[in-house]
Amino acid sequence: MPWFPVKKVRKQMKLLLLLLLLTCAAWLTYVHRSLVRPGRALRQRLGYGRDGEKLTGVTDGRGVRAVSSTQRAEDSSESHEEEQVPEGRVPNMLFRGGARKPPPLNLTHQTPPWREEFKGQVNLHVFEDWCGGAVGHLRRNLHFPLFPHTRTTVTKLAVSPKWKNYGLRIFGFIHPARDGDIQFSVASDDNSEFWLSLDESPAAAQLVAFVGKTGSEWTAPGEFTKFSSQVSKPRRLMASRRYYFELLHKQDDKGSDHVEVGWRAFLPGLKFEIIGSAHISLYTDESSLKMDHVTHVPQSPASHVGGYPPNKEPSADMLQPDPRDTFFLTPRMEPLSLENVLEPCAYAPTYVLKDFPIARYQGLQFVYLSFIYPNDHTRLTHMETDNKCFYRESPLYLERFGFYKYMKMDKEEGEEDEEEEVQRRAFLFLNPDDFLDDEDEQGLLDSLEPTDVSPRQSHRTPTPTTSAGTTATPTPPMTSPLDKQTPRHSRALNWAPRPLPLFLGRAPPPRTVEKSPSKVYVTRVRPGQRSSPKALRDSPWPPFPGVFLRPKPLPRVQLRVPPHPPWTPHPPRTQGYRTSGSKVTELKPPVRAQTTQRGQEGQVHGQGLMVPTVDLNSSVETQPVTSFMSLSQVSRPQLPGEVEEGEDDGAPGDEATSEDSEEEEEQAAGRPLGRWREDAIDWQRTFSVGAMDFELLRSDWNDLRCNVSGNLQLPEAEAVDVVAQYMERLNARHGGRFSLLRIVNVEKRRDSARGSRFLLELELQERGGGRQRLSEYVFLRLPGARIGDEDGESPEPPPAASIPPDSRPELCRPLHLAWRQDVMVHFIVPVKNQARWVVQFLSDMTALHVHTGDSHFSIILVDFESEDMDVERALRAAKLPRYQYLRRTGNFERSAGLQTGVDAVEDPSSIVFLCDLHIHFPPNILDSIRKHCVEGKLAFAPVVMRLGCGSSPWDPHGYWEVNGFGLFGIFKSDFDRVGGMNTEEFRDQWGGEDWELLDRVLQAGLEVERLRLRHFYHHYHSKRGMWTTRSRKGARTQRS
């Protein structure tokens, strides 16, 4: 037995006990930390709520605090409280990109005082004009949750306003009838969520039941058990307490809108009952509050769940980073140091309409667009699925043919030439209504008109032909004698250029090259008067009206019909005899044809094709009807000694020798009888195509038809050439101090008579210094052009010394065409009863001032007696560099409001920007306005993108407002010189006042710069409830 040091252990007993205690403490610490990580430990650390929710708080750009997804405790009384998917809205950020911070929180912990008279109703907030059926779409609304369109109350948790495209937020308190376990369920069309707190605090609200997440889920009214997520787990409630709840509902433009919440005691067999007025109460009384008072609105995890959406690739190319967006932050070179770089020259473009009389609203036709380099991606490529106007093709043509005319199919050996392919595809035009009239589109396929059969070609033996096509059953034409027919101009697809190498993506099979201009018309047989074969052969049958065909000459066509489907009624039967036998067959509506080689008998007579040969002893009464067959129905002629290929079986009783072999081949091949043959697909078909630049097809005229095309693109070679000339002059003047880092932006306005104006924006590196921004106008003067003075009068030829020997255009500095960086910009906005939009506008302007540091702008609000908010107080509270509040009485008048704002501007050398309230501004808006407004020369009318319903600046779907000129920047002196707004004619209306102003601006000799600005959006909104409109039914509501 080994020796054990008992005496030493006794002496060191205290140390051993201490070591044991330390070991136990370390083990307990490890166990505690391992349990804290999954969230099952005791929550006693600072920062955790009563339900184990870790709360972090930051404030967003609007001063409104929001909440991210929370990590909830695993509570057995909780139902479906799962991790929230990041589906919230994006905060208002002027500068995109970079690492996103965690979403802010501002949970409401303190509830307002509650009174007994609050019982019997709950608060209801309505968010109108917002598409989508998911609750996540509601959270992405710009005004959610603080600024609803309407504030009102309801008396029970079952609401159906019978409206569309809205969202509801219903909140208040629930008063249980008795103590016990209660189950809740929610039903709605479309999605909804029901949140319930553990007490009266909104901060402790938890998701207990919901209907769907994607917007496609819905339930019928009262259908509380359709989805498992609808029913909550039992929750222990007490009758002596009240519990905060929140119900969110989103409705799109379809279905029967409704949302209801039911509850029941957790007992078997009980049904859900709607929560009525006896068990609910208001959160607070909002009847006496203005719409801009939002401190009382509760903010809970329900109203801010999800926070930022996940970082994903932008849906639009315009959302990609571009140096133009932040280039204004780079220090600008002093204009005085650039005055002597280029020789001065007079600037008087020929397209200026000074004192030129134009008709009302005709100024739209005299606005020209500028070319941009490099590509600013303002083309709405993500909207071209439904709108392909950029490609200048007819929508009907693109729907039928797509873009196959730009492709040249690689031919295989034995294929026909391109002209024959066009003729064969023309054979597939079945419905004459699908053709456009000649006046709609100028004819490009007139060479495909039907021509008579030439004697030299009518006797040729046809070659085997097979093709895929589509069939239709057109109405039979009116017959008339051949000698009475007049030549008819075909209504062809006149916009389709020839040749078209492919039709609908199907490649034609190989065939021998054989041309024939003969017209082919397939004739069907119908019951009618008895006619002899000679009469059938010689009678002239008219062609189908408006259709031209020129495939290979085909002889007689024999019509055979597959068996009738069992679900279609049998047509009247007509008995006849085949030429190859005496058996009787039933002729049903013909659906395809088979040709036989007859030599000279196969030529086309007149304007029709021969019907199947009928026996002279036949007693069939037939009437010829001209119709059309697709080429897949017309097979090649049978060669002597050749067995016919497997075709669709004919009608019962049609057992010719050739068809017997046909049926055997079909059965042997495993194909069902009496069915259409499937089209062959050539997976190995290849094609050739050249590089296409559709931008070259655009011109600088103001295109009012296409609202998805972006700015015109300037060719790179032209932009680089101009920049190279300027940099050569700049370095010659300053001794090579500057080097070009990159070309940020080049804008060109073309004048084919005198030259082109350029705006050069270059990033330069100064030797021994930092980066600088060059942004100047230059003029590329054409040699020999007659240039007038600055007023465009008394044109004189330029001096001979200024014309280069090689007669190349020369850069010069246009006189009186320089923009000022420090000029004051006044935003003039008329408003009335638009509280939520006024708050949003002031918030955007404040953020613009904070992020850009630019204080040279002012906000002028013209208030038409707004009743939903105190506009002046909101202006004083906003952190703006300058503002003015002007009050007018009476109805809303946009023209009068804008004129009042302009009259309040004292400095004539400042810019006034006629603005709208529902605008989202890009960060470089001030710089863009200043660059394109030159006193006495330029005015600026940027094109704004109108967002669609449910769209936001971070997911833009909409179109460019190419017709609107309501957003207009001009110097105050020029505005006064043209006469200002037309307040007499547009007194009680708006719409057209911008075009009328444009006419007078152009007649005053000013150019109007028209550009599409990146990140320049008009928020979606309807005019319902705005300004002077009233609803037919009065309600206890507050609207903004």
Side-chain angles (χ1 to χ4, degrees), residues 488-651:
R488 179 178 303 169
H489 188 67
S490 174
R491 297 189 301 161
L493 286 178
N494 296 325
W495 61 80
R498 53 180 308 186
L500 296 174
L502 188 62
F503 173 71
L504 296 180
R506 302 201 192 105
R511 27 159 74 189
T512 59
V513 178
E514 188 72 32
K515 295 183 179 180
S516 177
S518 61
K519 298 169 291 184
V520 178
Y521 297 93
V522 179
T523 306
R524 304 174 184 248
V525 180
R526 286 191 178 180
Q529 297 180 356
R530 178 173 179 175
S531 302
S532 64
K534 186 178 185 302
L536 296 175
R537 183 183 302 110
D538 299 334
S539 60
W541 297 335
F544 198 94
V547 180
F548 55 91
L549 303 169
R550 288 195 305 172
K552 294 180 181 301
L554 294 178
R556 305 170 185 174
V557 177
Q558 297 180 352
L559 305 178
R560 294 184 296 118
V561 189
H564 252 288
W567 59 82
T568 58
H570 292 277
R573 298 186 179 182
T574 306
Q575 294 184 348
Y577 294 92
R578 293 176 53 88
T579 57
S580 59
S582 60
K583 292 187 178 183
V584 179
T585 181
E586 296 178 0
L587 294 180
K588 298 185 180 181
V591 291
R592 64 187 185 89
Q594 175 135 0
T595 60
T596 57
Q597 183 176 1
R598 301 292 184 183
Q600 294 289 339
E601 299 176 2
Q603 68 181 14
V604 180
H605 294 272
Q607 302 238 347
L609 189 65
M610 293 302 298
V611 297
T613 306
V614 184
D615 197 343
L616 295 177
N617 298 326
S618 172
S619 60
V620 178
E621 297 179 354
T622 59
Q623 176 183 356
V625 177
T626 302
S627 181
F628 291 92
M629 317 289 293
S630 66
L631 291 184
S632 62
Q633 298 171 257
V634 183
S635 61
R636 64 176 178 84
Q638 180 182 357
L639 300 177
E642 180 183 359
V643 180
E644 293 183 12
E645 293 183 3
E647 291 282 329
D648 298 339
D649 193 15

Side-chain angles (χ1 to χ4, degrees), residues 606-909:
Q607 302 238 347
L609 189 65
M610 293 302 298
V611 297
T613 306
V614 184
D615 197 343
L616 295 177
N617 298 326
S618 172
S619 60
V620 178
E621 297 179 354
T622 59
Q623 176 183 356
V625 177
T626 302
S627 181
F628 291 92
M629 317 289 293
S630 66
L631 291 184
S632 62
Q633 298 171 257
V634 183
S635 61
R636 64 176 178 84
Q638 180 182 357
L639 300 177
E642 180 183 359
V643 180
E644 293 183 12
E645 293 183 3
E647 291 282 329
D648 298 339
D649 193 15
D654 196 4
E655 291 105 13
T657 305
S658 59
E659 295 185 3
D660 293 340
S661 60
E662 213 174 58
E663 295 172 3
E664 293 176 0
E665 290 185 7
E666 287 186 352
Q667 293 178 359
R671 293 193 297 267
L673 300 180
R675 296 185 179 273
W676 296 104
R677 174 182 294 179
E678 293 184 357
D679 297 329
I681 303 176
D682 189 358
W683 299 108
Q684 297 179 335
R685 172 70 64 178
T686 58
F687 69 95
S688 302
V689 67
M692 297 297 300
D693 188 0
F694 294 95
E695 287 286 348
L696 299 178
L697 304 178
R698 302 177 63 190
S699 63
D700 59 351
W701 66 284
N702 190 22
D703 187 6
L704 302 178
R705 298 178 302 175
C706 190
N707 54 15
V708 297
S709 58
N711 290 320
L712 298 174
Q713 298 302 308
L714 180 65
E716 183 179 17
E718 185 175 357
V720 171
D721 182 64
V722 173
V723 171
Q725 291 187 44
Y726 188 86
M727 289 301 301
E728 182 180 355
R729 302 286 186 85
L730 179 66
N731 286 322
R733 176 69 177 82
H734 294 279
R737 287 171 46 198
F738 300 99
S739 59
L740 177 65
L741 295 181
R742 60 178 172 177
I743 301 175
V744 177
N745 184 45
V746 177
E747 300 175 8
K748 172 191 174 183
R749 172 65 69 88
R750 182 173 57 188
D751 184 1
S752 57
R754 295 181 177 176
S756 300
R757 162 174 58 86
F758 289 86
L759 173 63
L760 302 182
E761 295 194 272
L762 312 175
E763 186 175 6
L764 305 179
Q765 178 70 47
E766 185 179 6
R767 183 192 307 161
R771 298 185 178 185
Q772 295 190 14
R773 167 195 181 196
L774 185 145
S775 180
E776 295 296 324
Y777 281 103
V778 298
F779 185 63
L780 188 64
R781 184 174 51 192
L782 294 178
R786 297 176 63 87
I787 308 297
D789 57 8
E790 60 271 16
D791 294 329
E793 301 174 353
S794 304
E796 296 293 338
S802 63
I803 303 179
D806 55 355
S807 297
R808 291 184 56 191
E810 183 181 10
L811 282 180
C812 62
R813 177 172 57 88
L815 293 174
H816 307 288
L817 192 66
W819 67 279
R820 295 163 45 195
Q821 188 175 8
D822 58 347
V823 64
M824 180 67 66
V825 179
H826 302 274
F827 292 87
I828 303 175
V829 185
V831 299
K832 180 174 184 178
N833 292 337
Q834 294 285 293
R836 65 191 190 282
W837 289 109
V838 170
V839 172
Q840 182 64 38
F841 176 79
L842 296 179
S843 175
D844 290 344
M845 291 288 99
T846 302
L848 182 68
H849 171 57
V850 171
H851 289 94
T852 63
D854 194 336
S855 59
H856 292 83
F857 73 94
S858 172
I859 304 299
I860 302 177
L861 289 185
V862 183
D863 182 21
F864 285 82
E865 297 181 317
S866 296
E867 299 175 353
D868 58 349
M869 70 173 297
D870 190 342
V871 178
E872 186 177 8
R873 186 174 65 88
L875 269 173
R876 290 197 302 264
K879 297 179 180 179
L880 298 172
R882 292 177 180 86
Y883 68 87
Q884 291 188 55
Y885 173 77
L886 305 176
R887 186 175 180 87
R888 282 184 60 97
T889 59
N891 295 330
F892 180 84
E893 301 176 19
R894 186 176 189 271
S895 296
L898 293 175
Q899 185 63 51
T900 302
V902 175
D903 293 339
V905 178
E906 298 178 356
D907 184 9
S909 297

Side-chain angles (χ1 to χ4, degrees), residues 93 95-101 311 321:
M93 295 185 301
F95 297 91
R96 296 181 57 83
R100 291 179 177 175
K101 298 179 180 179
N311 290 324

Side-chain angles (χ1 to χ4, degrees), residues 156-233:
K156 61 189 307 185
L157 298 190
V159 181
S160 178
K162 295 185 178 180
W163 195 239
K164 59 184 179 180
N165 291 332
Y166 67 88
L168 299 181
R169 186 192 187 201
I170 306 174
F171 57 93
F173 296 109
I174 287 181
H175 302 263
R178 63 182 63 87
D179 297 346
D181 293 336
I182 305 296
Q183 270 189 313
F184 295 89
S185 181
V186 60
S188 63
D189 185 355
D190 296 300
N191 290 179
S192 61
E193 293 179 0
F194 180 70
W195 295 68
L196 185 65
S197 176
L198 299 177
D199 53 19
E200 60 183 22
S201 173
Q206 298 175 351
L207 179 64
V208 297
F210 63 92
V211 175
K213 291 285 188 181
T214 63
S216 60
E217 304 86 355
W218 58 274
T219 70
E223 190 178 13
F224 289 110
T225 57
K226 180 177 181 179
F227 301 102
S228 60
S229 61
Q230 287 181 255
V231 183
S232 71
K233 293 180 180 179

Side-chain angles (χ1 to χ4, degrees), residues 249-265:
H249 172 231
K250 187 68 186 72
Q251 170 66 25
D252 60 9
D253 57 348
K254 305 179 183 64
S256 303
D257 59 323
H258 67 92
V259 61
E260 60 269 16
V261 177
W263 63 351
R264 68 181 180 184

Side-chain angles (χ1 to χ4, degrees), residues 408-412 415 685-688:
K408 181 179 180 182
M409 295 299 143
D410 297 335
K411 292 184 179 181
E412 298 179 2
E415 285 190 349
R685 172 70 64 178
T686 58
F687 69 95
S688 302

